[in-house]
Amino acid sequence: MRENPNYTDLYYQNTTSHSQIIDIITEHTVSLSEVAAPIDWEALFGNTHPVEIEIGFGKGRFLLEASKRHPKVNYIGVERAQKYVELTRERFEKYMRHFGVDRASGTFSNVRLAWTDANYFLTRYVAAVSVQAYHIYFPDPWPRKRQQKRRIFRNQDFLEALTRTLNAEGGRLYIVTDYAAYFQEIQERLAGLSVLHPIDANLKPDRDIATNFETKYILEGRPIYRAVYERT
């Protein structure tokens, strides 16, 4: 049995035909197929601030709070599921309405959503050493044995893209999960990447920003596993 899915051009043609880049403030959307690769972050955001990418942003809680807290950091949220893209857009809209955020104020102008497959995005659209940090919180563990080949950390192209695109001087990878067996597997696979080194997980910034999954699992009493890796 194949350990990993066959990520061919045909596979991506069937799974990324809808891909878009969405501007939270202007609500402007552009087909990813119309975006030159690799993406010029300065052209996309209109500034030279560092770029951080959240893979699988779910309902967007971390993306909203972090982008609000750090206006001089540009955030890209990558999500494959349309329902979560729409839920995240609604979260931002509700926040702006509730707090009377003026769209001209610059708040959330540092956020873009990428509705697409994460591996496709990283391998084809992210330039080398152009990302200051990756945030991967509660990646799908695909717990059934026949599904485990879909785990994102089993994709060698994805792992190579992570290391290639991280800033070579201190770029960081932040990981959180509640799934012990998957956490162990992630650590084993990242141990094989010579340019990534584990550092103190307490160095994760914004630990007080909990995703929806984290809030739910803490209330259920589940243990939470965290890791931080730095590129050197």
Side-chain angles (χ1 to χ4, degrees):
M1 180 180 295
R2 184 187 298 274
E3 183 180 0
N4 299 311
N6 191 13
Y7 294 105
T8 62
D9 286 342
L10 179 60
Y11 169 84
Y12 284 126
Q13 181 180 338
N14 292 333
T15 58
T16 63
S17 59
H18 60 269
S19 295
Q20 298 176 346
I21 297 288
I22 303 165
D23 187 324
I24 286 292
I25 290 297
T26 66
E27 300 182 317
H28 176 70
T29 64
V30 59
S31 172
L32 191 57
S33 63
E34 298 176 8
V35 177
I39 295 174
D40 182 337
W41 300 131
E42 183 177 356
L44 183 66
F45 288 100
N47 60 58
T48 58
H49 297 160
V51 173
E52 300 193 6
I53 296 179
E54 182 181 12
I55 295 176
F57 53 74
K59 296 181 181 179
R61 178 178 288 178
F62 173 81
L63 202 58
L64 187 150
E65 295 297 334
S67 61
K68 180 180 63 173
R69 185 175 295 182
H70 305 291
K72 292 191 177 181
V73 175
N74 294 325
Y75 289 90
I76 296 278
V78 183
E79 177 58 63
R80 181 173 177 172
Q82 182 181 15
K83 69 175 182 178
Y84 288 127
V85 174
E86 295 305 320
L87 283 170
T88 295
R89 294 179 74 170
E90 290 174 11
R91 179 183 290 275
F92 276 89
E93 287 291 333
K94 288 178 181 178
Y95 181 93
M96 288 188 284
R97 287 199 305 270
H98 182 77
F99 291 99
V101 175
D102 183 350
R103 290 181 182 271
S105 68
T107 303
F108 301 135
S109 61
N110 60 332
V111 181
R112 300 293 187 276
L113 305 183
W115 175 23
T116 191
D117 178 271
N119 187 61
Y120 178 76
F121 188 72
L122 266 63
T123 57
R124 306 192 182 202
Y125 285 92
V126 182
V129 298
S130 69
V131 178
Q132 187 59 38
Y134 280 102
H135 303 267
I136 307 180
Y137 301 142
F138 301 93
D140 195 330
W142 295 104
R144 296 181 181 178
K145 188 172 182 179
R146 71 173 185 273
Q147 296 176 331
Q148 290 178 6
K149 64 182 180 180
R150 300 181 184 178
R151 290 177 172 177
I152 195 167
F153 283 95
R154 288 196 178 186
N155 188 325
Q156 192 60 37
D157 290 342
F158 174 77
L159 295 179
E160 291 174 359
L162 278 179
T163 56
R164 176 182 59 83
T165 57
L166 268 176
N167 187 318
E169 298 180 359
R172 289 185 177 180
L173 167 62
Y174 301 101
I175 300 167
V176 181
T177 181
D178 67 305
Y179 206 85
Y182 192 21
F183 185 62
Q184 181 178 346
E185 179 181 330
I186 291 170
Q187 291 177 301
E188 291 171 353
R189 291 184 179 272
L190 294 182
L193 304 177
S194 60
V195 299
L196 286 183
H197 300 276
I199 61 175
D200 186 352
N202 290 320
L203 293 177
K204 177 187 179 302
D206 306 316
R207 282 193 60 171
D208 58 314
I209 302 176
T211 66
N212 284 78
F213 278 129
E214 184 169 353
T215 300
K216 175 185 176 182
Y217 295 157
I218 288 175
L219 289 174
E220 292 176 356
R222 299 193 197 185
I224 304 297
Y225 306 95
R226 307 174 190 276
V228 180
Y229 289 81
E230 187 170 83
R231 180 174 175 183
T232 58

